[in-house]
Amino acid sequence: MSKHPAWLDNAVFYEIYPQSFCDSNGDGIGDFQGIISRLDYIRDLGCNAIWMNPCFESPFGDAGYDVSDYCKAAPRYGTNDELVRLFDEVHRRGMHILLDLVPGHTSWAHPWFKASMRAEKNAYTDRYVWTDSIWEQPSGYGCLRGISDRDGSCVVNFFSHQPALNYGYLNPERPWQQSMDAQGPQETLSAMMDVMRFWLSRGCDGFRVDMAGSLVKNDADGRGTIALWQKVRAFLDEEFPDAAMISEWGEPDKSLQGGFHMDFLLHFGPSHYNDLFRCEEPYFSSRGKGDVTAFVEKYLENMRRSGQKGLICIPSGNHDMDRLARALHGDELKVAFAFLLTMPGAPFIYYGDEIGMRYVEGLTSVEGGYNRTGSRSPMQWDDTLHAGFSAAPAEKLYIPLDPAADRPTAAAQMEDEHSLRSEVQRLIALRQAHDALQSCGGIDFVHVGYPLMYTRSSSTETLLVIVNPAAQEKRVPSSMRLMECLYQFNGAAVQQGGVMHVPGQSVCVYRV
Ligand code: NOJ
């Protein structure tokens, strides 16, 4: 685990899906200028860091995760100069911004891929993973075949239009499988480091790395991919020691060994993240029938295996998951946010989750969104035309707006001290006022179930967080000495005769 940049200690991230955030030029799609115009909103919420989804040139078959030029901003968002201006505006406000790096695959429209499809050998022949005959399909992976003069099938990393870049095989078994240190894989890695250098030297603060665990093939336990990222770590330590790196890997014990500073808990993989927010009986539902045990066990195991040092980040959601407000409602959302914002690691808030934006049901897929499209609808700013997102005619909006008459808006919630947004703002302020609640504060679970009780500690203080998502009061034996109450929502727990009485749907934070 490498030492992380100091600003991650108290980072609270806001994820921007640029298509849907704010459209400044009336073409129906969000853009850099739009984002710049809303930076104060993000800062006022209390977030001090941004992760922006891919914003590079792309045919947009997967919302930009199908890059056709890594070093050029997609014209629909603006120019490279405008992107650099966005970095500057973010920094001027004391904030940081991560770009989304997609190292595992490109679009099939990328010039590298077009060159690699040619029958004659050229500089890009080994840039992607190709078999040496059209009749041989790579086992364990999907592939593209019959689209080139080149005789071979090309491994795909995700959708069929996303050919896999070649970082080699851990243990090559077929003649066409290259080892990680063969020339082709080495050149791919060095090209990706050039991309990182390109944006870091222009002022971006680091990367969220897409499918970071997918690079080396036939690498079930991640050994090869970890070794590859260690090389990237050495490069960053040398040239950009302040760059922050967060992986979409979902296995912190591996990613942090690879030199990432942070990893996400995700809706797939072994973390049990879904048990909390997105299953039939989510833990945060007021029905109080969920189960948080497996999540806590896995979380502690991850902490142990990553040496307690790495930042395990729990997002409110992201562009791939159902909106938090699909399964949770009303106060359930406030209680869930209280948990998210009092856990270690840097929290990530998906745009609009802070106002409880809903999953828009029944939408036709847009740009490879499929069922994810409902979580990507335009940000609801206010009650003006198209919720203040865009001045374009309705049919030009990137994705239709939530049609509900009572859809939440940022403007209304900013006026209302009882709104979800106001609660989120208070919780972020609480976090920022106490080291113990921030990324690196310690955590010990005191009671796992309803309520969930955990202490957070720094060198100067220990705080007890008590979260009861269930509608009913809960009682648990406890002998903790409660001192000052620093935060309460729906009443504070009280201790009487060795029993903690925790009101229904409440959260409180005590100094102990
Ligand atoms: C994960 C991204 O979050 C998702 O949106 C994308 O479709 C895949 N990786 C492929 O890049």
Side-chain angles (χ1 to χ4, degrees):
M1 206 346 251
S2 52
K3 189 163 162 28
H4 59 255
W7 62 268
L8 291 181
D9 284 345
N10 72 345
V12 178
F13 280 86
Y14 193 86
E15 178 190 343
I16 295 179
Y17 184 74
Q19 291 87 325
S20 293
F21 198 57
C22 186
D23 170 19
S24 74
N25 61 0
D27 64 357
I29 301 184
D31 47 51
F32 298 142
Q33 293 298 343
I35 295 172
I36 291 172
S37 72
R38 300 294 184 171
L39 288 176
D40 288 344
Y41 168 86
I42 298 172
R43 185 193 51 194
D44 293 348
L45 179 63
C47 293
N48 52 15
I50 290 170
W51 155 33
M52 182 166 64
N53 294 109
C55 57
F56 314 110
E57 195 176 82
S58 163
F60 291 99
D62 183 13
Y65 284 95
D66 47 334
V67 177
S68 57
D69 186 341
Y70 285 103
C71 296
K72 185 171 176 227
R76 71 192 204 176
Y77 299 135
T79 61
N80 279 16
D81 286 347
E82 284 169 310
L83 179 53
V84 169
R85 193 169 149 243
L86 169 59
F87 300 158
D88 293 344
E89 292 289 337
V90 165
H91 295 153
R92 212 162 59 75
R93 290 166 175 80
M95 300 159 73
H96 293 87
I97 180 164
L98 306 184
L99 293 180
D100 209 318
L101 182 73
V102 190
H105 48 269
T106 66
S107 158
W108 58 14
H110 197 295
W112 294 347
F113 187 64
K114 291 187 178 157
S116 93
M117 287 199 295
R118 287 201 213 113
E120 69 280 6
K121 196 160 170 53
N122 63 69
Y124 299 97
T125 298
D126 294 330
R127 182 58 50 100
Y128 296 82
V129 186
W130 286 87
T131 67
D132 54 11
S133 153
I134 184 84
W135 310 118
E136 175 161 359
Q137 297 180 47
S139 85
Y141 299 94
C143 70
L144 273 165
R145 16 189 335 242
I147 58 158
S148 63
D149 293 341
R150 176 177 181 161
D151 186 10
S153 312
C154 184
V155 169
V156 296
N157 226 29
F158 196 68
F159 288 148
S160 310
H161 54 76
Q162 290 162 318
L165 285 160
N166 181 19
Y167 296 93
Y169 275 71
L170 182 64
N171 295 308
E173 286 164 354
R174 305 282 304 137
W176 50 267
Q177 296 178 349
Q178 302 185 341
S179 71
M180 291 172 62
D181 49 18
Q183 191 183 346
Q186 290 294 314
E187 285 177 6
T188 307
L189 182 57
S190 129
M192 207 42 68
M193 294 199 285
D194 283 345
V195 171
M196 297 172 80
R197 191 180 279 118
F198 183 89
W199 290 113
L200 290 170
S201 61
R202 281 163 181 74
C204 103
D205 296 297
F207 300 97
R208 173 270 189 187
V209 178
D210 187 68
M211 295 176 69
S214 74
L215 304 195
V216 175
K217 301 305 180 207
N218 282 8
D219 182 25
D221 63 5
R223 248 182 322 133
T225 307
I226 291 170
L228 179 146
W229 283 111
Q230 285 169 344
K231 287 193 185 163
V232 176
R233 167 58 35 220
F235 146 70
L236 291 172
D237 284 347
E238 176 81 23
E239 295 187 33
F240 300 98
D242 293 332
M245 295 289 286
I246 176 159
S247 50
E248 186 204 29
W249 195 321
E251 294 179 80
D253 53 315
K254 295 182 181 158
S255 50
L256 301 174
Q257 264 188 70
F260 281 95
H261 301 119
M262 316 186 278
D263 194 7
F264 283 114
L265 297 189
L266 296 163
H267 55 301
F268 58 86
S271 71
H272 287 271
Y273 168 84
N274 278 353
D275 299 1
L276 305 186
F277 315 106
R278 293 171 180 81
C279 62
E280 214 174 298
E281 283 297 348
Y283 174 71
F284 283 103
S285 154
S286 63
R287 289 187 294 274
K289 292 188 180 154
D291 188 354
V292 71
T293 326
F295 170 83
V296 171
E297 268 167 26
K298 197 68 204 175
Y299 185 84
L300 290 174
E301 184 189 321
N302 274 327
M303 292 285 269
R304 264 192 311 274
R305 289 169 63 179
S306 58
Q308 301 255 342
K309 289 192 209 112
L311 304 184
I312 299 173
C313 300
I314 314 181
S316 70
N318 70 25
H319 59 289
D320 293 331
M321 304 182 202
D322 283 0
R323 281 277 182 191
L324 192 62
R326 196 175 194 193
L328 303 181
H329 309 282
D331 284 357
E332 293 172 337
L333 289 166
K334 295 181 180 170
V335 176
F337 264 108
F339 164 81
L340 286 163
L341 292 167
T342 54
M343 285 292 282
F348 278 69
I349 299 176
Y350 182 50
Y351 82 95
D353 277 354
E354 76 280 12
I355 58 168
M357 265 177 65
R358 301 179 187 126
Y359 180 89
V360 183
E361 307 284 344
L363 294 179
T364 303
S365 177
V366 175
E367 295 186 351
Y370 300 98
N371 63 314
R372 306 174 294 183
T373 308
S375 299
R376 299 175 175 187
S377 60
M379 175 68 182
Q380 294 150 202
W381 293 105
D382 53 36
D383 282 335
T384 62
L385 180 70
H386 305 323
F389 163 68
S390 168
E395 65 279 7
K396 285 186 78 186
L397 297 189
Y398 172 75
I399 288 173
L401 273 155
D402 178 353
D406 65 345
R407 67 183 173 218
T409 67
Q413 294 212 1
M414 286 164 80
E415 298 286 296
D416 174 5
E417 60 166 322
H418 302 296
S419 68
L420 177 60
R421 187 188 185 277
S422 297
E423 207 59 56
V424 170
Q425 193 180 36
R426 276 191 286 277
L427 284 160
I428 299 177
L430 174 76
R431 184 180 177 96
Q432 297 300 18
H434 297 275
D435 291 5
L437 292 176
Q438 295 170 14
S439 305
C440 302
I443 182 162
D444 274 306
F445 288 92
V446 177
H447 186 264
V448 176
Y450 291 98
L452 182 63
M453 293 168 50
Y454 46 95
T455 55
R456 299 293 322 278
S457 51
S458 67
S459 55
T460 53
E461 61 180 354
T462 299
L463 308 182
L464 173 67
V465 182
I466 308 174
V467 180
N468 178 20
Q472 304 76 27
E473 184 194 87
K474 297 286 168 185
R475 296 177 185 190
V476 285
S478 162
S479 55
M480 295 201 74
R481 240 166 53 86
L482 306 182
M483 285 145 76
E484 192 188 355
C485 182
L486 300 169
Y487 171 86
Q488 55 172 296
F489 171 70
N490 278 346
V494 288
Q495 195 164 254
Q496 284 164 355
V499 175
M500 187 79 81
H501 297 246
V502 189
Q505 278 208 305
S506 72
V507 182
C508 59
V509 179
Y510 276 101
R511 203 189 294 281
V512 290

